[in-house]
């Protein structure tokens, strides 16, 4: 058994970790922290957890104990998932690492390699620049080996995961120019658990809107990793990435749907690749991935509801020579807590899919 | 391994069985039937199943094969789940039983003990009256032992399960009169997978309505089992049950919320029982149940989304001496396919919770 | 022109008054108050109001000016709609009446005739008991004449309006016993505009729950008016009303659906009335009402979305001799602000339907 | 009074015309046609129309009579709204025009000027090419004068209206290159009233997907009008428009949100225009429009629910020199039936806003 703490369990990424770890055979949650809820039991905050009890698991072991008391600081555990906001997350991670705890950080603190970019987008100096050296970007499909050797993982952003999985094969193969438009649509759980006027049900239901149009923090993260993928694929960009990213909120709880527009280059024979060629390239790229599926028809976010799966569909717009890649996943699972567990499985040399076998809840 | 067929897999109860069995360690689906979809592969009908592949399961075993071809008739298997409409279900069950296959029937065909009541509510003569003798009503919390000995299980209706779990403790204890009003609210998946004008998204969203007000087929089923519970508890009803049942559709996918109103009798000391006394009675009644949870606050259907759990909250309306019991569950899981697997686990002497360990997807 | 102020315009009932008054030919909003928003213009709080401008109305008159500045206290107007919480509302109404302003109060402060009942349910002494004498209960279909003579109207509660319109014909006709169960389902706008954890979109979407089971403030209001209707109809109740009222929240923005259960008495010939007889009685009762429609099939809340209409469907449950009356309306219109304008029309001797002619937005 | 027929009233655009015309002071619906519903009364198909009755309108005039019988062919009227599918629409329009009836056609039949483009995208020869000469494209903000002289109006597509209103000012001013990406998100009513598997509530709720990625029929219509606007503004395109259009379905009933991406040209001083400059240009462009509103913050589809208004927000992405213009409207009102009435008002020399004064239903 590996003991696990969840720091800031009362966030949606925290409660999603509880849900997923409840069926994990190896990780046992022994410590949970909160801020305004210190001293309460898990089941008081999440009454549905009372469904988890010793009767449910024949051998009497409970991965989640609804009577676990929320504390201010995590107890000593082998592994910690940090679900704090940025800055606070880095400080918590630093303390945990000092005690020998491995850390999967779900905040943005260790995602950007460049502390100046971090400072520009997050409006403060990076609190733990030294740790950046050791942190590994936790996109398992890209950095699997480095992750398995690391002790600090920077779990990617939800919009970022959706777009990177859609665009990395094209950038790694060097078939597109650096002109990118990412139009992303997210369910409302992506906005977190704190109530607000804009996500009050009567305001958010039956509504679509864009946000962060003038600049969203996931933009530099997408840029960093697309540029890195181009280099890793042997096709470094000829000029700086020209990336526009516009996220939208749609009236559903879970799911991100990303529509990615790029310009195709002519190939060696001066042709624009066909949809069939691109699909073959993508299928080859993800041939061994358990959670990434290149499909022959436009996917739906519902195919991913509650699961760690991502579906990708590339298509060439022959009239304009643009490549359109749509991709979708559950923002709380593959876009956050599921990917965090996937990372943790790698950290502990477990099969990467452990505890993440569930299919989408459909319909 | 136990081989399993799903008859009429293209129904919502059929596809929900696929989802749940995908993580079941013992049951392997080797045969699926459909009607208009014969010859197609499962993944063509349910593309999200392509997420299920050998890469997902380390040892390479797939509980669900997306390439399984839909046939008209089931192949020989140990166990069959029948998801056909009534009448067709009974005929299919009869054929399966003749081949030695154990059957969990999710239709209404074997739920009502009285063929005259069946004929009245389903508008035709019962097609297999002889089988009624051997069928066991599959409410596990009531008939656990009989189920484990049976070969034909009548899986209860979704509204029925919700109300019975709420009312049986009171009827078994003899503390209420036979005057019952059940006001039930269901998500739209309860209406099945076939599209219709009334459940076309623009018509069904942002809408609430009642249906079947003049008489719904779940009414006689609730009546039969409440009367039986009263007898089993040693408090047979002094007069015929006077039951009104009104179901409503609310704009959500999954979930049933049932509000049950009954009149409390005076106890031996000529008092109306208190909420505390009733809650203690209910908690005692369900003390050993893995899936039924008596809680201290009004539950939410969301606590059950995608899971096999049922939450119950009884409260005394002291001004009127009425007992109000609210209960909720996921109509496709504990109200249908999850309960069917719970029954099948009993049939095969497996721990009742096998494959049903998941918590609700929340939020 | 009649000048109008809206006190606490930032509530949902306040903004709904803006929407409805925008097409009212006689009432012009010249003063709006708020609490935390003092000094802001209406259009800053409700940006969609910028659609209202002089270009829209050919003659250049604007019923709603998006640049109207929100003040702490209302300016002098002919008429005021008070949308404050209870207690604060009574105090505001008292001040307005002293200045000669007619008041439609949308709070609960002047609905209950008995100050002791008020104190019991609202947990404080009534702040303006003297005004109770002059206040008229603003259910137009019942008190049309008194309303037209009054200067202070107590606009009824939303659940209350829905149930009263459903049950008053039966109580006025003396055909039912005093045993009543009201099971009501409301959209989430009924909970007001302030964000909260429970109505945060991810928590409230795909969920149904009951609230106020142990006692909701609309209960004594329903009781008061049913008893009064029985007296007015010449059939005073033989015993105290035995009323249970359980409201539920369903995941939609607008709409209340009420399912009302009562016991039918035997008629003079010792028969239980038929559905046809009851429907005839109801249609006769509401024959001249512009906003109340007795229909021959179960209605849908969607039939009322954004409109001032109420649909009612009574049906006899012949197996139990119960009368079931379902009714529905838009909680913000006929359940609040539309009814308030209907009252104001009566106050000013305008046709009762003025400004309320719109049909439901459907689908 | 102007007599009006609605051809194919059982479509969503047909029923929306009923709703809007119910408060129109000049147009009276005297004829409605259907296909499978011939012989039924309007109120049988749309029971909520029974709310419309003589009591509602003091003077006893009813703009909509719920007892109007649906016929196969329209009766003689002054004006007809044709809500048939393409091809059938052109044939109906031809017959109506022969009888001297003015026609607003809501189908695509008279939108495209080029019969070859029509044949390519609609897969058949244009049925009435001669009429194309006389048809006027019914985007009121562009062709107001021509419309007022015409007898046949081609009412624009819903996605098209949303994008054109967003992009025309930029193309007319010549500030952008011909590289355009339109990412559009629509509510489900845009898919029509016929039930289907994909828009069955349990499938469509909690889901986002793209459709028509390889080519949607609204694409050539957007292209035609953007090129025309460039010419009309004195800045004809230097090369063919390179337009990608991807529509998406989001789980709501009404509303279109369009995110439009274009590349800005350097201005005379070799600068990229600022957001402030672009917003000023847009506000000037629409200064006299009653229904088009250029706003200073990202708009929401909810601001338009049930109303004829359109909100537009342009912003410069300074990092990439792209102009992003977001726009939104109600697909059934400004995107279809409201715009059709706006056109009809012009045809009859009425104030353009007649009958369209309502604000959005909010929240």
């Amino acid at each position: 058994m590996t003991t696990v703490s969840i720091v800031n369990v009362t966030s949606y990424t925290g409660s999603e970790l509880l849900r997923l770890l409840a069926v994990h055979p190896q990780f046992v949650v022994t410590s949970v922290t909160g801020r305004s809820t210190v001293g309460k039991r898990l089941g008081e905050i999440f009454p549905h957890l009372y469904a988890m009890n010793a009767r449910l698991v024949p051998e009497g072991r409970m991965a989640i104990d609804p009577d676990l008391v929320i504390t201010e600081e995590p107890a000593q555990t082998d592994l910690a998932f940090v679900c704090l906001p940025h800055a606070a997350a880095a400080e918590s991670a630093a303390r945990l690492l000092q005690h020998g705890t491995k850390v999967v950080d779900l905040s943005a603190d260790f995602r950007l390699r460049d502390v100046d970019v971090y400072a520009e987008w997050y409006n403060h100096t990076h609190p733990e620049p030294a740790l950046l050296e050791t942190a590994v970007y936790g996109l398992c499909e890209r950095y699997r080996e480095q992750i398995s050797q690391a002790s600090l993982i920077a779990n990617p952003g939800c919009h970022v995961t959706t777009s990177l999985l859609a665009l990395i094969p094209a950038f790694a193969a060097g078939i597109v120019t650096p002109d990118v438009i990412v139009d992303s649509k997210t369910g409302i759980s992506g906005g977190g658990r704190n109530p607000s006027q804009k996500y009050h049900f009567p305001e958010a239901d039956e509504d679509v809107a864009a946000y962060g149009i003038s600049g969203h923090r996931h933009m530099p993260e997408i840029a960093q990793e697309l540029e890195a993928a181009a280099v890793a694929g042997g096709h470094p960009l000829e000029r700086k990435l020209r990336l526009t990213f516009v996220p939208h909120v749609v009236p559903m709880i879970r799911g991100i749907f990303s529509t990615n527009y790029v310009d195709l280059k002519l190939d060696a024979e001066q042709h624009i690749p066909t949809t069939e060629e691109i699909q073959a390239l993508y299928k080859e790229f993800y041939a061994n991935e358990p959670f990434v599926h290149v499909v022959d028809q436009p996917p739906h976010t519902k195919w991913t509801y509650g699961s760690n799966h991502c579906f990708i569909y590339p298509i060439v717009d022959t009239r304009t020579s643009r490549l359109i890649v749509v991709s979708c996943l559950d923002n709380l699972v593959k876009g956050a807590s599921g990917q965090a567990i996937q990372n943790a499985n790698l950290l502990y040399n477990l099969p990467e899919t452990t505890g993440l076998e569930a299919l989408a809840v459909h319909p």
Side-chain angles (χ1 to χ4, degrees), chain A:
Chain A
M1 290 295 129
T2 302
T3 56
V4 168
S5 57
I6 302 176
V7 179
N8 200 23
V9 72
T10 54
S11 60
Y12 277 154
T13 52
S15 67
E16 187 69 354
L17 282 164
L18 287 177
R19 180 179 80 84
L20 295 167
L21 292 174
V23 293
H24 196 287
Q26 173 83 10
F27 297 145
V28 179
V29 178
T30 57
S31 170
V32 291
T33 82
R35 290 181 289 188
S36 60
T37 54
V38 169
K40 295 197 172 168
R41 287 167 295 120
L42 269 184
E44 289 178 76
I45 308 299
F46 302 112
H48 68 286
L49 292 184
Y50 282 115
M52 169 58 62
N53 56 46
R55 284 163 277 150
L56 186 59
V57 192
E59 61 273 30
R61 185 188 69 79
M62 285 188 292
I64 305 298
D65 177 0
D67 288 324
L68 199 60
V69 174
I70 298 172
T71 58
E72 194 162 349
E73 291 298 327
Q76 176 72 33
T77 56
D78 302 320
L79 170 65
F81 295 97
V82 175
C83 303
L84 290 166
H86 60 86
E91 290 163 16
S92 175
R95 285 194 298 275
L96 287 157
L97 288 162
Q98 281 175 336
H99 290 82
T101 300
K102 293 188 179 181
V103 172
V104 179
D105 176 27
L106 286 84
S107 87
D109 277 345
F110 301 104
R111 295 176 189 163
L112 296 173
R113 312 303 310 158
D114 184 328
V115 291
D116 293 337
V117 174
Y118 179 90
E120 177 192 349
W121 287 88
Y122 290 89
N123 300 321
H124 62 86
T125 311
H126 196 288
E128 300 286 343
L131 285 178
L132 268 180
E133 302 298 311
T134 66
V136 174
Y137 190 75
L139 189 69
C140 307
E141 289 75 12
R142 271 279 287 147
Y143 299 106
R144 194 165 270 129
E145 289 188 31
Q146 296 93 313
I147 293 165
S148 67
Q149 314 294 324
S151 55
L152 171 58
I153 306 296
N155 209 55
C158 53
H159 287 293
V160 182
T161 302
T162 324
S163 282
L164 287 181
L165 292 175
L167 291 175
I168 280 176
F171 277 85
I175 60 172
V176 293
T177 79
D179 300 284
V180 184
I181 290 176
V182 174
D183 189 293
S184 199
K185 298 92 182 160
T186 182
I188 296 175
S189 64
R193 186 163 169 266
N194 286 336
S196 62
Q197 192 71 51
K198 67 182 171 179
Y199 298 146
H200 188 45
F201 184 93
E203 314 269 329
D205 195 36
E206 299 292 316
D207 187 43
V208 172
Y211 66 102
I213 309 182
S214 61
H216 184 284
R217 288 163 171 174
H218 282 182
M219 201 275 274
E221 191 181 335
I222 298 173
Q224 166 185 293
E225 292 301 319
L226 285 186
E227 287 169 348
V231 171
H235 301 88
L237 298 184
E238 59 266 32
R239 55 185 161 84
K240 195 165 176 303
L241 198 73
R242 186 167 163 256
L243 169 64
T244 294
F245 167 60
V246 179
H248 302 74
V249 173
V250 299
M252 61 186 193
I253 302 169
R254 288 165 177 254
I256 288 185
F257 190 97
S258 178
T259 315
N260 302 278
Y261 304 91
V262 277
D263 284 327
L264 283 163
K265 294 181 190 168
L266 294 173
D267 63 17
E269 287 85 35
Q270 300 299 305
H271 292 128
I272 289 293
T274 64
T275 293
E276 290 68 31
E277 288 166 349
I278 303 273
Q279 293 212 348
L281 183 153
Y282 270 68
K283 286 183 179 177
E284 169 71 16
F285 194 92
Y286 288 124
N288 295 313
E289 291 300 336
F291 294 120
V292 184
H293 311 280
V294 180
V295 285
D296 300 325
Q297 60 179 297
H300 290 243
T301 58
K302 190 184 283 284
W303 296 1
T304 71
Y305 203 91
S307 86
N308 200 50
H309 294 282
C310 173
F311 289 88
I312 296 179
Y313 174 68
I315 183 173
V316 176
D317 183 18
T318 53
R319 289 176 202 87
T320 62
S321 302
R322 289 189 181 111
L323 172 63
I324 306 169
V325 190
V326 301
S327 55
C328 57
L329 49 74
D330 182 323
N331 57 300
L332 290 181
V333 192
K334 183 60 178 165
S337 305
Q339 183 152 256
I341 292 171
Q342 193 181 350
N343 274 307
N345 287 335
L346 286 169
L347 282 179
Y348 282 88
N349 210 21
L350 298 170
E352 200 167 322
T353 58
T354 308
L356 301 169
E357 297 90 351
L359 288 178
V361 177
H362 187 281

